[in-house]
């Protein structure tokens, strides 16, 4: 199976990004995690993106806060699918990172999830791998069923308590 790259601009992003690791683990999807910054370590970030396909990756998740250019830098140097996670890390509540990540110029797509949306980033990466992996697709289907069951159970509990 292809690996997923999980990159973050700073280790201060890790408490949010950790959810992506646990989600990939839950589905048995292999990953590598790194701290690379589009601004502080641009050479390393570029080298990672340029070699990612030949190093066995199927998608790149890139999380960054503030002037969040890491996902864009990955997209500039790789044609693998890039998923951006805008991190809420400054006084602007993550809106800065959201706009920096999502507003890519034509020709360089970044699939941007919600602010701090690490779980969805991992699920989207898994869905990309599942296009050619039937067993993984079945696991995704089963997880959707479980998710729906848990919501219906919450509905049942609230309805039981308040709907007289
Ligand atoms: C961004 O700046 C990082 O992704 C992080 O969200 C933010 C702050 O980084 P630190 O100053 O905490 O290292 O590049």
């Amino acid at each position: 199976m292809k690996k997923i790259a999980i990159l973050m601009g700073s280790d201060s992003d890790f408490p949010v990004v950790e959810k992506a690791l646990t989600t990939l683990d839950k589905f048995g999807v292999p990953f590598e995690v790194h701290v690379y910054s589009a601004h502080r370590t641009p050479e390393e970030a570029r080298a990672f993106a340029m070699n990612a396909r030949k190093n066995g990756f199927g998608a790149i998740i890139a999380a960054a806060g503030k002037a969040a250019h890491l996902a864009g830098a990955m997209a500039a140097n790789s044609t693998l699918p890039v998923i951006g996670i805008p991190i809420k890390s400054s006084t602007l509540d993550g809106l800065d990172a959201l706009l920096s990540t999502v507003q890519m110029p034509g020709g360089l797509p970044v699939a941007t999830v919600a602010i701090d949306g690490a779980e969805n980033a991992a699920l989207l990466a898994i869905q990309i791998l599942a296009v050619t992996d039937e067993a993984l697709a079945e696991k995704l289907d089963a997880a959707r069923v479980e998710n729906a069951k848990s919501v219906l159970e919450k509905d049942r509990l609230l309805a039981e308590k308040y709907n007289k």
Side-chain angles (χ1 to χ4, degrees), residues 68-113:
H69 297 135
L70 184 59
M74 290 299 111
N77 292 295
S78 174
T79 54
L80 286 174
V82 176
I83 302 165
I85 310 174
I87 300 287
K88 177 177 165 175
S89 69
S90 72
T91 49
L92 295 178
D93 267 350
L95 189 58
D96 46 355
L98 174 63
L99 296 179
S100 304
T101 306
V102 79
Q103 286 286 51
M104 287 296 291
L108 295 160
V110 166
T112 304
V113 296

Side-chain angles (χ1 to χ4, degrees), residues 26-46:
K26 200 169 94 185
F27 283 84
V29 171
F31 61 83
E32 254 184 48
V33 58
H34 294 282
V35 176
Y36 289 134
S37 165
H39 308 119
R40 292 166 172 160
T41 61
E43 296 307 326
E44 288 78 3
R46 181 167 181 269

